[in-house]
Amino acid sequence: MSATNNLADQVCHACHVQGDAAKAIQQLNSQCFCLSLPDGALKQAIKVELAAPEIFDLIEQRCPHLFSAQPVFVSSSQQRAMTAVIQAIESVVAMPAFRDKILSRAPAIAQHGKPAAKGVFFGYDFHLHDEKIGLIEVNTNAGGAMLNAVLARAQRACCAVMDDIVHDRSTVQALEQDIVAMFRHEWMLAQQSQANTSFAELRVIAIVDDAPTEQYLYPEFLLFQQLLQRAGIHMLIAAPQDLTWREGRLWQGDIKIDLVYNRLTDFYLEQANTNALRQAYLADAVVLTPHPQVHALFADKANLAIWTDPEQLQALGVSPEIQACLLENIPRTELVRPDQAERLWANRRHLFFKPNAGYGGRAAYRGDKLTKRVWDEILSADYIAQSIITPGQRISGSPELPEQMKFDIRQYTYDARVQWTAARVYQGQTTNFRTPGGGFAPVYTISDEDLADNPQKIGAILC
């Protein structure tokens, strides 16, 4: 059996969620008021364990609703199904026919060479509704991984039955080591691609974003800086205009940069302030991760229209098993075209509209909230229309004052492998980190066997 067929079989078997398990998980998310982030635990984790009181103070001042005190529960079959969708997408993106199709219409910088870097911190975002999962989008510069590592450091089991569910210290340390190893692996891949026989050491990384100190997630940049510097790698935090291109290298001041951790939302480096970074990337003089090509292949939302179109999948030569997984677990998506305007407008209440190059929920609209003015703007821009799959529901607060929240699940991945699973709890149209009681939440996975065969355990959690 070929590796491709073996992957298809694995995906086929993993893509389904067991109904009884999904019902039990729904019960936990609607009735469990356990606190996994007790008062003072986050302060202890950041101020004492990480010796970073200034980061804790910054989080308190700038983003007080960054972390949820209550966990989100998923079943092992839901986790397997999400992993199977990720593997299915990665297998399609690896196909030469798909890559040729996407890159032939992508901006020129996305067609540059064959970048060796895989791209750090992909984020596959899912909604979970009853027995159904739905991939909403893929991000190639997903924020929050380091914040979730800190959250995991601060988690505490609220009762004995939760002891084997809550992430322990070794799990968190493994994630942090994995993050360091990931950056080193990106550096090694780039060196190998240039046929270097003696590998230079990765010495300097720059996190690059517009006005980084003003970013909402700036505390995460400081956490990355601390982690990498503990590992012996100098890490800078810079705006793109702080960089210069000279002597065949990328510099900040008098420091030569080896690798750029790219947090820009100018995905194709089109703005004038990215000129130095663009020149260095095109000259293969710096490792840029994630880079424009992986954005075009994974994160352009127009790709969702291919992954949910059986005719296009068939034409690309995608196996029936992979097709079934994608079609079952990604909400039907299509490009918004003027010749389909009447039909889409009539069906708008069942659709969510997003710009192809959008991020962070910006300029995204539920169809039932649309005005004619906004609809005209959508028709004149590049948008997708995605069938709505309701996000998961999490009851927050206390039994006396329950509050209904929404959540999505973010799977952080590197090279098709899930590194960490987190939830984002919120109210409103999209995730926003502005909701009291909301923010990043730990995800606790419970085996289907426990959910089906051990009702006492579920009852103990609910107590």
Side-chain angles (χ1 to χ4, degrees):
M1 180 181 289
S2 71
T4 302
N5 286 336
N6 187 48
L7 172 63
D9 287 344
Q10 292 176 28
V11 168
C12 181
H13 291 304
C15 258
H16 302 286
V17 177
Q18 294 186 17
D20 290 342
K23 289 184 176 67
I25 286 297
Q26 194 173 11
Q27 181 185 15
L28 286 171
N29 283 324
S30 63
Q31 298 179 29
C32 176
F33 292 93
C34 292
L35 294 178
S36 65
L37 186 64
D39 289 344
L42 188 66
K43 182 177 181 179
Q44 169 78 14
I46 298 178
K47 279 194 169 186
V48 179
E49 292 185 31
L50 299 180
E54 72 286 353
I55 299 179
F56 176 78
D57 294 341
L58 188 61
I59 289 172
E60 276 203 322
Q61 295 163 14
R62 182 176 296 187
C63 32
H65 306 305
L66 197 52
F67 298 111
S68 172
Q70 291 175 304
V72 167
F73 297 92
V74 301
S75 70
S76 57
S77 58
Q78 287 173 325
Q79 279 283 22
R80 287 194 299 270
M82 287 184 280
T83 300
V85 174
I86 292 166
Q87 293 175 343
I89 288 174
E90 297 269 353
S91 71
V92 172
V93 173
M95 298 176 68
F98 177 84
R99 299 176 75 88
D100 291 346
K101 181 183 182 72
I102 299 304
L103 296 180
S104 66
R105 69 189 187 200
I109 195 170
Q111 303 176 40
H112 169 68
K114 293 183 178 179
K118 300 288 186 180
V120 297
F121 296 120
F122 282 23
Y124 286 79
D125 294 343
F126 290 86
H127 281 179
L128 274 57
H129 182 67
D130 296 332
E131 299 172 21
K132 189 170 180 58
I133 69 165
L135 176 76
I136 303 305
E137 60 188 34
V138 183
N139 297 284
T140 49
N141 64 348
M146 271 305 302
L147 294 167
N148 280 288
V150 168
L151 177 61
R153 279 180 174 272
Q155 289 170 37
R156 302 289 185 271
C158 62
C159 56
V161 74
M162 297 286 278
D163 283 341
D164 61 343
I165 300 174
V166 174
H167 299 296
D168 61 24
R169 189 55 46 84
S170 64
T171 305
V172 180
Q173 291 171 343
L175 171 63
E176 293 173 343
Q177 292 167 5
D178 195 25
I179 289 171
V180 175
M182 173 176 60
F183 283 110
R184 287 193 166 126
H185 189 245
E186 292 284 83
W187 175 247
M188 182 195 70
L189 289 173
Q191 298 239 303
Q192 288 176 337
S193 71
Q194 296 172 11
N196 288 346
T197 55
S198 58
F199 294 159
E201 184 180 355
L202 173 60
R203 296 182 182 277
V204 180
I205 295 176
I207 302 178
V208 176
D209 202 351
D210 287 312
T213 60
E214 305 305 313
Q215 292 292 332
Y216 187 73
L217 294 186
Y218 176 59
E220 179 175 50
F221 296 177
L222 296 174
L223 290 166
F224 273 119
Q225 186 178 55
Q226 186 193 67
L227 173 68
L228 271 294
Q229 292 188 169
R230 286 202 306 267
I233 300 171
H234 185 51
M235 175 161 270
L236 309 169
I237 300 173
Q241 64 269 20
D242 297 336
L243 309 177
T244 56
W245 165 245
R246 67 177 192 273
E247 302 170 11
R249 293 293 300 269
L250 188 68
W251 302 72
Q252 185 190 38
D254 60 355
I255 301 175
K256 288 188 290 188
I257 297 169
D258 298 321
L259 182 148
V260 168
Y261 171 25
N262 180 17
R263 290 287 288 255
L264 292 164
T265 53
D266 175 13
F267 303 114
Y268 297 120
L269 307 182
E270 296 171 318
Q271 302 301 316
N273 66 348
T274 66
N275 185 52
L277 179 57
R278 182 170 58 252
Q279 289 183 77
Y281 174 67
L282 291 174
D284 298 320
V286 72
V287 178
L288 178 64
T289 182
H291 51 74
Q293 190 170 110
V294 294
H295 176 81
L297 292 169
F298 286 90
D300 188 321
K301 292 180 179 57
N303 297 344
L304 292 160
I306 298 174
W307 298 333
T308 60
D309 183 340
E311 292 185 5
Q312 292 193 70
L313 293 174
Q314 187 68 28
L316 289 169
V318 178
S319 72
E321 295 83 3
I322 298 294
Q323 285 191 48
C325 183
L326 297 175
L327 296 172
E328 181 180 346
N329 296 295
I330 306 178
R332 178 76 170 94
T333 305
E334 62 180 297
L335 302 180
V336 174
R337 302 186 188 281
D339 62 350
Q340 298 297 315
E342 184 176 347
R343 175 180 61 83
L344 291 172
W345 176 257
N347 195 41
R348 67 188 183 281
R349 295 182 182 280
H350 306 288
L351 299 172
F352 205 100
F353 296 89
K354 303 177 185 179
N356 293 5
Y359 60 92
R362 290 168 173 81
Y365 305 96
R366 281 184 62 100
D368 56 0
K369 307 293 185 183
L370 279 181
T371 64
K372 271 292 190 180
R373 178 188 62 79
V374 172
W375 177 237
D376 289 341
E377 293 174 359
I378 288 173
L379 290 175
S380 63
D382 293 326
Y383 265 73
I384 60 163
Q386 186 178 62
S387 296
I388 291 175
I389 176 171
T390 306
Q393 301 291 319
R394 180 67 171 103
I395 301 302
S396 182
S398 66
E400 296 76 25
L401 291 171
E403 190 166 13
Q404 185 161 296
M405 312 283 275
K406 303 173 184 176
F407 72 85
D408 66 9
I409 298 292
R410 169 164 287 180
Q411 302 282 3
Y412 292 95
T413 74
Y414 176 64
D415 195 15
R417 178 177 62 85
V418 174
Q419 294 173 300
W420 197 257
T421 304
R424 298 182 296 176
V425 179
Y426 65 100
Q427 290 177 333
Q429 183 169 281
T430 58
T431 55
N432 50 43
F433 298 104
R434 300 294 194 276
T435 305
F440 284 116
V443 172
Y444 295 162
T445 302
I446 303 180
S447 73
D448 289 14
E449 291 74 17
D450 270 350
L451 291 168
D453 304 330
N454 193 356
Q456 292 83 4
K457 182 168 186 175
I458 306 306
I461 294 174
L462 292 177
C463 289

